[in-house]
Amino acid sequence: MGLRTILYGYRKEHLLFYIIPEEADIVRRIFREYISGKTMKSIADTLTGERTVYYKDKTTWTKNAVCRIIENEHYTGDMEYPEIITREEYMTANAMKSYKGGKREPDIPEIALLKRKMICAECGHRYTRRKHYYGTLERWECLNHCKSTFYLDDEELFGKLTKLLNLIIDNPNGLQYEQSCAEPYEPTLELIRQDREIDRMTEQKTPQFQPIKATIFNAASNRYDCCRLDPSKAVTDKLIEYVKTLEKSDSPDFELITRIVKTIIVHNDGTISIRFLNDRIVDEQEANKNAGNNDNSESCN
Ligand SMILES: [Zn+2]
């Protein structure tokens, strides 16, 4: 059978390489199909099935043969070889290949930091940043695959973070808890369970008064714990002191995020909230309101 010594798609004549049109079509097709998402194995199997000639009487295509074609830069044209595919197609296919092969570049520290801080408001899972094909489109999404109606890329995320951080730098006292418990309390899982239990008990045909009363009391005391006043005045004071020394910036200050941001919460409509070191949460709605009137003292129940 003999081994092919000249690159698939070409023939050599008087030291020069010339394109073999039928083979060049196969090369283009391999790139096209690979970029459209087919695997090397399925491309090889199809070519074998169609009895496409690889070399002389050889019509068996392997995954490796397809791989060698996708990796070969000569196809983009150079001093020796005329061009069969564009440089762009070559780069795209090879970016996909390294992506699929798991040879991903390590995260830069800023991205690693955001991955540690970002959580999904829906389910509490961490957020991750997926690179989509072509290695250029990135998207932040919930690791738990919560559905989202927005596309959060770096630019969008960085813009939102900058805006929120600048809001706090403009108005450091925004980190203070408003009087009473203006901060919406966060029910613990236990509290949610208790509330459901109370609903279940009261919905019964013959409600049992004593156990219901006991559960309601218990839940009330848990609820009180959830909305205690400024849980850490000292932390808040220090934080405000520090933020007063800062200047606004037009890109996210990652040093600042490392220091004073506990979590970045992403909601399913694409808005984000920042939970600061003292557990004060500032969100985009607040940013849009522009900290004008401060008399929204919600009660805690
Ligand atoms: Zn989620």
Side-chain angles (χ1 to χ4, degrees):
M1 198 185 296
L3 277 175
R4 189 173 180 123
T5 51
I6 294 171
L7 183 61
Y8 185 83
Y10 301 96
R11 65 186 167 82
K12 199 173 184 181
E13 206 180 297
H14 308 302
L15 300 172
L16 292 173
F17 288 97
Y18 295 92
I19 288 175
I20 303 173
E22 311 83 69
E23 291 192 358
D25 281 344
I26 298 294
V27 171
R28 290 188 198 101
R29 178 175 148 195
I30 287 171
F31 273 88
R32 202 169 53 236
E33 292 186 348
Y34 188 70
I35 290 170
S36 79
K38 275 185 104 174
T39 63
M40 294 186 188
K41 172 91 170 62
S42 76
I43 294 170
D45 290 349
T46 309
L47 291 169
T48 304
E50 291 170 3
R51 304 192 56 76
T52 305
V53 175
Y54 179 67
Y55 179 58
K56 290 186 177 168
D57 55 351
K58 191 170 175 260
T59 56
T60 313
W61 287 72
T62 61
K63 184 183 153 218
N64 281 339
V66 172
C67 183
R68 281 196 301 273
I69 286 175
I70 288 171
E71 281 180 339
N72 204 307
E73 213 169 343
H74 287 308
Y75 290 120
T76 62
D78 53 32
M79 300 284 282
E80 285 183 294
Y81 295 84
E83 175 186 321
I84 290 181
I85 55 145
T86 64
R87 177 123 212 111
E88 208 180 337
E89 286 169 306
Y90 176 81
M91 298 299 279
T92 303
N94 281 275
M96 287 173 66
K97 191 167 108 14
S98 56
Y99 181 85
K100 287 187 188 176
K103 280 182 268 163
R104 271 175 262 178
E105 291 164 36
D107 285 332
I108 58 168
E110 289 80 6
I111 297 298
L113 169 73
L114 293 179
K115 279 186 178 175
R116 285 197 302 277
K117 302 269 183 188
M118 284 167 72
I119 59 164
C120 170
E122 293 299 298
C123 72
H125 271 76
R126 294 258 287 269
Y127 248 64
T128 192
R129 178 180 181 265
R130 293 193 206 284
K131 277 257 195 166
H132 286 261
Y133 296 139
Y134 320 122
T136 50
L137 281 175
E138 73 285 333
R139 180 180 189 158
W140 288 89
E141 42 194 43
C142 169
L143 268 175
N144 196 27
H145 309 293
C146 282
K147 284 220 166 64
S148 56
T149 51
F150 58 91
Y151 196 107
L152 192 60
D153 59 10
D154 287 353
E155 200 187 334
E156 184 86 7
L157 175 65
F158 289 6
K160 286 167 187 274
L161 287 173
T162 307
K163 194 173 163 195
L164 279 174
L165 291 172
N166 282 342
L167 175 85
I168 283 303
I169 292 170
D170 255 348
N171 175 29
N173 289 321
L175 286 166
Q176 214 131 36
Y177 284 82
E178 287 156 27
Q179 76 278 41
S180 77
C181 65
E183 184 66 13
Y185 80 90
E186 279 196 39
T188 58
L189 282 179
E190 170 69 2
L191 198 47
I192 292 167
R193 195 194 58 75
Q194 276 176 337
D195 281 341
R196 285 209 193 107
E197 177 74 353
I198 293 168
D199 287 344
R200 192 188 62 77
M201 287 168 112
T202 51
E203 276 162 15
Q204 275 172 354
K205 265 190 188 150
T206 50
Q208 302 287 300
F209 182 65
Q210 277 303 329
I212 292 175
K213 193 175 145 196
T215 312
I216 289 175
F217 266 120
N218 199 349
S221 107
N222 275 342
R223 185 169 284 127
Y224 179 78
D225 284 347
C226 286
C227 61
R228 59 202 181 282
L229 287 171
D230 193 342
S232 47
K233 182 130 183 17
V235 176
T236 302
D237 290 348
K238 271 230 170 78
L239 197 56
I240 292 174
E241 206 63 23
Y242 172 64
V243 172
K244 279 180 177 165
T245 68
L246 302 171
E247 303 216 328
K248 288 203 279 186
S249 88
D250 47 19
S251 61
D253 182 340
F254 291 99
E255 171 73 27
L256 180 62
I257 293 174
T258 308
R259 284 178 172 223
I260 71 168
V261 171
K262 242 187 199 174
T263 43
I264 297 160
I265 305 153
V266 188
H267 303 271
N268 70 348
D269 61 355
T271 57
I272 65 167
S273 313
I274 294 183
R275 178 194 284 267
F276 289 93
L277 213 56
N278 63 341
D279 286 325
R280 177 84 165 93
I281 298 173
V282 175
D283 49 37
E284 281 185 68
Q285 285 85 333
E286 199 157 342
N288 295 334
K289 256 193 304 177
N290 204 8
N293 47 343
N294 279 0
D295 53 45
N296 56 331
S297 45
E298 297 164 38
S299 61
C300 65
N301 49 36

Short mmCIF file of all heavy atoms in Angstrom, two decimals, residues 245-284:
data_model
loop_
_atom_site.label_atom_id
_atom_site.label_comp_id
_atom_site.label_asym_id
_atom_site.label_seq_id
_atom_site.Cartn_x
_atom_site.Cartn_y
_atom_site.Cartn_z
N THR A 245 -11.02 56.49 51.48
CA THR A 245 -9.69 56.81 50.95
C THR A 245 -9.56 56.48 49.47
O THR A 245 -8.54 56.73 48.85
CB THR A 245 -8.60 56.02 51.70
OG1 THR A 245 -8.74 54.62 51.38
CG2 THR A 245 -8.69 56.20 53.20
N LEU A 246 -10.62 55.86 48.89
CA LEU A 246 -10.49 55.37 47.53
C LEU A 246 -10.98 56.36 46.49
O LEU A 246 -11.77 57.25 46.79
CB LEU A 246 -11.30 54.06 47.38
CG LEU A 246 -10.91 52.94 48.33
CD1 LEU A 246 -11.91 51.80 48.23
CD2 LEU A 246 -9.50 52.44 48.01
N GLU A 247 -10.51 56.16 45.28
CA GLU A 247 -10.97 56.98 44.17
C GLU A 247 -11.72 56.11 43.18
O GLU A 247 -11.40 54.92 43.03
CB GLU A 247 -9.78 57.63 43.48
CG GLU A 247 -8.95 58.45 44.44
CD GLU A 247 -8.39 59.68 43.78
OE1 GLU A 247 -8.11 59.63 42.58
OE2 GLU A 247 -8.25 60.70 44.50
N LYS A 248 -12.66 56.70 42.50
CA LYS A 248 -13.42 55.93 41.52
C LYS A 248 -12.52 55.50 40.36
O LYS A 248 -11.50 56.13 40.10
CB LYS A 248 -14.56 56.80 40.96
CG LYS A 248 -15.66 57.01 41.97
CD LYS A 248 -16.96 57.35 41.29
CE LYS A 248 -17.02 58.82 40.90
NZ LYS A 248 -18.34 59.17 40.37
N SER A 249 -12.88 54.42 39.73
CA SER A 249 -12.07 54.01 38.57
C SER A 249 -13.00 53.60 37.44
O SER A 249 -14.21 53.42 37.64
CB SER A 249 -11.13 52.87 38.96
OG SER A 249 -11.77 51.64 38.79
N ASP A 250 -12.45 53.49 36.25
CA ASP A 250 -13.34 53.14 35.13
C ASP A 250 -13.22 51.68 34.72
O ASP A 250 -13.67 51.27 33.66
CB ASP A 250 -13.15 54.08 33.94
CG ASP A 250 -11.69 54.28 33.62
OD1 ASP A 250 -10.87 53.44 34.06
OD2 ASP A 250 -11.36 55.26 32.93
N SER A 251 -12.57 50.90 35.58
CA SER A 251 -12.57 49.44 35.39
C SER A 251 -12.61 48.83 36.78
O SER A 251 -12.30 49.51 37.76
CB SER A 251 -11.31 49.01 34.64
OG SER A 251 -10.18 49.35 35.38
N PRO A 252 -13.02 47.58 36.89
CA PRO A 252 -13.15 47.02 38.23
C PRO A 252 -11.80 46.98 38.96
O PRO A 252 -10.80 46.59 38.37
CB PRO A 252 -13.71 45.61 38.01
CG PRO A 252 -13.74 45.37 36.55
CD PRO A 252 -13.36 46.62 35.84
N ASP A 253 -11.78 47.40 40.20
CA ASP A 253 -10.57 47.39 41.01
C ASP A 253 -10.52 46.03 41.74
O ASP A 253 -11.18 45.82 42.74
CB ASP A 253 -10.66 48.56 42.00
CG ASP A 253 -9.42 48.66 42.85
OD1 ASP A 253 -8.68 47.66 42.96
OD2 ASP A 253 -9.19 49.75 43.41
N PHE A 254 -9.71 45.13 41.20
CA PHE A 254 -9.70 43.76 41.72
C PHE A 254 -9.08 43.67 43.11
O PHE A 254 -9.46 42.84 43.92
CB PHE A 254 -9.01 42.82 40.74
CG PHE A 254 -9.81 42.62 39.49
CD1 PHE A 254 -9.54 43.31 38.33
CD2 PHE A 254 -10.90 41.75 39.50
CE1 PHE A 254 -10.30 43.14 37.19
CE2 PHE A 254 -11.68 41.57 38.37
CZ PHE A 254 -11.37 42.27 37.20
N GLU A 255 -8.14 44.57 43.36
CA GLU A 255 -7.54 44.66 44.69
C GLU A 255 -8.64 44.98 45.71
O GLU A 255 -8.74 44.36 46.77
CB GLU A 255 -6.47 45.77 44.64
CG GLU A 255 -5.88 46.16 45.96
CD GLU A 255 -4.93 45.11 46.49
OE1 GLU A 255 -4.35 44.37 45.67
OE2 GLU A 255 -4.76 45.02 47.73
N LEU A 256 -9.49 45.92 45.32
CA LEU A 256 -10.60 46.32 46.18
C LEU A 256 -11.59 45.17 46.37
O LEU A 256 -12.08 44.92 47.47
CB LEU A 256 -11.29 47.53 45.54
CG LEU A 256 -12.48 48.13 46.28
CD1 LEU A 256 -12.05 48.65 47.64
CD2 LEU A 256 -13.09 49.26 45.47
N ILE A 257 -11.87 44.48 45.30
CA ILE A 257 -12.79 43.35 45.38
C ILE A 257 -12.23 42.29 46.33
O ILE A 257 -12.93 41.76 47.19
CB ILE A 257 -13.05 42.75 43.97
CG1 ILE A 257 -13.82 43.77 43.11
CG2 ILE A 257 -13.83 41.42 44.06
CD1 ILE A 257 -14.01 43.36 41.67
N THR A 258 -10.93 42.02 46.22
CA THR A 258 -10.29 41.06 47.11
C THR A 258 -10.50 41.48 48.56
O THR A 258 -10.79 40.66 49.43
CB THR A 258 -8.78 41.00 46.84
OG1 THR A 258 -8.58 40.79 45.45
CG2 THR A 258 -8.11 39.89 47.63
N ARG A 259 -10.36 42.79 48.83
CA ARG A 259 -10.38 43.25 50.20
C ARG A 259 -11.76 43.37 50.81
O ARG A 259 -11.95 43.00 51.97
CB ARG A 259 -9.72 44.63 50.29
CG ARG A 259 -8.23 44.59 50.22
CD ARG A 259 -7.71 46.00 50.28
NE ARG A 259 -6.28 46.02 50.40
CZ ARG A 259 -5.63 46.84 51.23
NH1 ARG A 259 -6.30 47.66 51.99
NH2 ARG A 259 -4.32 46.82 51.27
N ILE A 260 -12.72 43.91 50.09
CA ILE A 260 -13.97 44.26 50.77
C ILE A 260 -15.22 43.56 50.25
O ILE A 260 -16.30 43.77 50.78
CB ILE A 260 -14.21 45.79 50.77
CG1 ILE A 260 -14.55 46.30 49.36
CG2 ILE A 260 -13.00 46.54 51.32
CD1 ILE A 260 -15.06 47.73 49.37
N VAL A 261 -15.09 42.73 49.21
CA VAL A 261 -16.28 42.06 48.69
C VAL A 261 -16.33 40.61 49.15
O VAL A 261 -15.38 39.86 48.94
CB VAL A 261 -16.31 42.12 47.14
CG1 VAL A 261 -17.40 41.25 46.57
CG2 VAL A 261 -16.49 43.57 46.68
N LYS A 262 -17.43 40.25 49.79
CA LYS A 262 -17.59 38.87 50.21
C LYS A 262 -18.08 38.01 49.05
O LYS A 262 -17.47 37.02 48.70
CB LYS A 262 -18.60 38.79 51.36
CG LYS A 262 -18.04 38.25 52.65
CD LYS A 262 -19.16 38.07 53.65
CE LYS A 262 -18.57 38.00 55.06
NZ LYS A 262 -19.66 37.98 56.08
N THR A 263 -19.22 38.42 48.48
CA THR A 263 -19.73 37.68 47.33
C THR A 263 -20.37 38.63 46.31
O THR A 263 -20.81 39.72 46.67
CB THR A 263 -20.82 36.64 47.72
OG1 THR A 263 -21.70 37.23 48.67
CG2 THR A 263 -20.24 35.38 48.29
N ILE A 264 -20.36 38.15 45.09
CA ILE A 264 -21.03 38.87 44.01
C ILE A 264 -22.19 37.96 43.61
O ILE A 264 -21.98 36.82 43.21
CB ILE A 264 -20.07 39.08 42.82
CG1 ILE A 264 -18.89 39.96 43.25
CG2 ILE A 264 -20.82 39.70 41.64
CD1 ILE A 264 -17.68 39.84 42.33
N ILE A 265 -23.40 38.47 43.77
CA ILE A 265 -24.57 37.62 43.55
C ILE A 265 -25.17 37.96 42.19
O ILE A 265 -25.45 39.12 41.91
CB ILE A 265 -25.61 37.86 44.67
CG1 ILE A 265 -24.94 37.62 46.05
CG2 ILE A 265 -26.82 36.97 44.50
CD1 ILE A 265 -25.57 38.39 47.17
N VAL A 266 -25.35 36.94 41.36
CA VAL A 266 -25.91 37.18 40.03
C VAL A 266 -27.36 36.70 40.01
O VAL A 266 -27.65 35.55 40.31
CB VAL A 266 -25.12 36.43 38.93
CG1 VAL A 266 -25.60 36.86 37.55
CG2 VAL A 266 -23.63 36.66 39.08
N HIS A 267 -28.26 37.60 39.66
CA HIS A 267 -29.68 37.24 39.60
C HIS A 267 -30.03 36.73 38.21
O HIS A 267 -29.29 36.99 37.26
CB HIS A 267 -30.53 38.46 39.98
CG HIS A 267 -30.19 39.00 41.32
ND1 HIS A 267 -30.78 38.57 42.48
CD2 HIS A 267 -29.25 39.92 41.70
CE1 HIS A 267 -30.24 39.20 43.51
NE2 HIS A 267 -29.31 40.02 43.07
N ASN A 268 -31.17 36.05 38.12
CA ASN A 268 -31.46 35.41 36.83
C ASN A 268 -31.89 36.38 35.73
O ASN A 268 -32.07 36.00 34.59
CB ASN A 268 -32.45 34.25 36.98
CG ASN A 268 -33.83 34.74 37.33
OD1 ASN A 268 -34.01 35.91 37.67
ND2 ASN A 268 -34.80 33.86 37.25
N ASP A 269 -32.02 37.67 36.07
CA ASP A 269 -32.29 38.66 35.02
C ASP A 269 -31.00 39.37 34.62
O ASP A 269 -31.02 40.33 33.86
CB ASP A 269 -33.33 39.67 35.48
CG ASP A 269 -32.86 40.44 36.71
OD1 ASP A 269 -31.79 40.12 37.25
OD2 ASP A 269 -33.58 41.37 37.13
N GLY A 270 -29.87 38.91 35.16
CA GLY A 270 -28.59 39.46 34.76
C GLY A 270 -28.11 40.60 35.64
O GLY A 270 -26.99 41.08 35.47
N THR A 271 -28.95 41.03 36.59
CA THR A 271 -28.48 42.08 37.49
C THR A 271 -27.59 41.45 38.56
O THR A 271 -27.69 40.26 38.83
CB THR A 271 -29.64 42.82 38.18
OG1 THR A 271 -30.42 41.86 38.89
CG2 THR A 271 -30.49 43.55 37.18
N ILE A 272 -26.72 42.26 39.12
CA ILE A 272 -25.86 41.72 40.17
C ILE A 272 -25.96 42.55 41.44
O ILE A 272 -26.35 43.72 41.42
CB ILE A 272 -24.39 41.62 39.74
CG1 ILE A 272 -23.78 43.00 39.48
CG2 ILE A 272 -24.21 40.73 38.54
CD1 ILE A 272 -22.27 42.92 39.38
N SER A 273 -25.67 41.89 42.56
CA SER A 273 -25.60 42.56 43.85
C SER A 273 -24.23 42.23 44.44
O SER A 273 -23.69 41.18 44.16
CB SER A 273 -26.65 42.01 44.82
OG SER A 273 -27.91 41.94 44.22
N ILE A 274 -23.73 43.14 45.24
CA ILE A 274 -22.47 42.87 45.92
C ILE A 274 -22.74 42.78 47.42
O ILE A 274 -23.39 43.65 48.00
CB ILE A 274 -21.42 43.97 45.65
CG1 ILE A 274 -21.02 43.97 44.17
CG2 ILE A 274 -20.18 43.77 46.53
CD1 ILE A 274 -19.95 44.97 43.81
N ARG A 275 -22.24 41.71 48.01
CA ARG A 275 -22.30 41.60 49.47
C ARG A 275 -20.93 41.98 50.00
O ARG A 275 -19.93 41.33 49.72
CB ARG A 275 -22.65 40.17 49.88
CG ARG A 275 -22.67 39.97 51.39
CD ARG A 275 -22.69 38.50 51.74
NE ARG A 275 -23.99 37.93 51.52
CZ ARG A 275 -24.92 37.82 52.47
NH1 ARG A 275 -24.68 38.23 53.69
NH2 ARG A 275 -26.09 37.30 52.17
N PHE A 276 -20.90 43.06 50.77
CA PHE A 276 -19.62 43.54 51.28
C PHE A 276 -19.23 42.81 52.56
O PHE A 276 -20.01 42.01 53.09
CB PHE A 276 -19.68 45.06 51.49
CG PHE A 276 -19.70 45.81 50.19
CD1 PHE A 276 -20.90 46.18 49.61
CD2 PHE A 276 -18.52 46.10 49.52
CE1 PHE A 276 -20.93 46.85 48.39
CE2 PHE A 276 -18.53 46.76 48.30
CZ PHE A 276 -19.74 47.14 47.74
N LEU A 277 -18.03 43.12 53.00
CA LEU A 277 -17.44 42.44 54.15
C LEU A 277 -18.35 42.44 55.38
O LEU A 277 -18.34 41.51 56.18
CB LEU A 277 -16.13 43.15 54.49
CG LEU A 277 -15.01 42.30 55.04
CD1 LEU A 277 -14.70 41.15 54.10
CD2 LEU A 277 -13.76 43.17 55.25
N ASN A 278 -19.14 43.52 55.55
CA ASN A 278 -20.02 43.59 56.72
C ASN A 278 -21.40 43.03 56.43
O ASN A 278 -22.34 43.28 57.15
CB ASN A 278 -20.14 45.05 57.18
CG ASN A 278 -20.79 45.92 56.12
OD1 ASN A 278 -20.82 45.56 54.95
ND2 ASN A 278 -21.32 47.06 56.51
N ASP A 279 -21.53 42.30 55.32
CA ASP A 279 -22.78 41.65 54.92
C ASP A 279 -23.82 42.60 54.36
O ASP A 279 -24.94 42.20 54.05
CB ASP A 279 -23.41 40.83 56.07
CG ASP A 279 -22.65 39.54 56.31
OD1 ASP A 279 -22.15 38.96 55.31
OD2 ASP A 279 -22.54 39.11 57.47
N ARG A 280 -23.47 43.84 54.21
CA ARG A 280 -24.38 44.80 53.58
C ARG A 280 -24.43 44.46 52.09
O ARG A 280 -23.39 44.29 51.44
CB ARG A 280 -23.83 46.21 53.78
CG ARG A 280 -24.65 47.28 53.10
CD ARG A 280 -25.83 47.70 53.96
NE ARG A 280 -26.39 48.95 53.46
CZ ARG A 280 -27.39 49.01 52.58
NH1 ARG A 280 -27.96 47.90 52.15
NH2 ARG A 280 -27.85 50.18 52.17
N ILE A 281 -25.64 44.35 51.56
CA ILE A 281 -25.78 44.03 50.14
C ILE A 281 -26.20 45.27 49.36
O ILE A 281 -27.16 45.95 49.72
CB ILE A 281 -26.81 42.90 49.92
CG1 ILE A 281 -26.33 41.63 50.62
CG2 ILE A 281 -27.04 42.65 48.44
CD1 ILE A 281 -27.33 40.51 50.61
N VAL A 282 -25.46 45.57 48.32
CA VAL A 282 -25.81 46.71 47.47
C VAL A 282 -26.11 46.17 46.08
O VAL A 282 -25.34 45.37 45.54
CB VAL A 282 -24.64 47.72 47.40
CG1 VAL A 282 -24.96 48.85 46.43
CG2 VAL A 282 -24.34 48.27 48.79
N ASP A 283 -27.24 46.56 45.52
CA ASP A 283 -27.56 46.02 44.19
C ASP A 283 -27.76 47.11 43.16
O ASP A 283 -27.75 48.29 43.46
CB ASP A 283 -28.73 45.04 44.23
CG ASP A 283 -29.90 45.62 44.98
OD1 ASP A 283 -30.13 46.83 44.85
OD2 ASP A 283 -30.58 44.86 45.69
N GLU A 284 -27.94 46.65 41.93
CA GLU A 284 -28.02 47.60 40.82
C GLU A 284 -29.22 48.52 40.91
O GLU A 284 -29.14 49.68 40.52
CB GLU A 284 -28.08 46.84 39.49
CG GLU A 284 -26.74 46.35 39.04
CD GLU A 284 -26.84 45.71 37.68
OE1 GLU A 284 -27.08 46.44 36.70
OE2 GLU A 284 -26.69 44.49 37.59
#
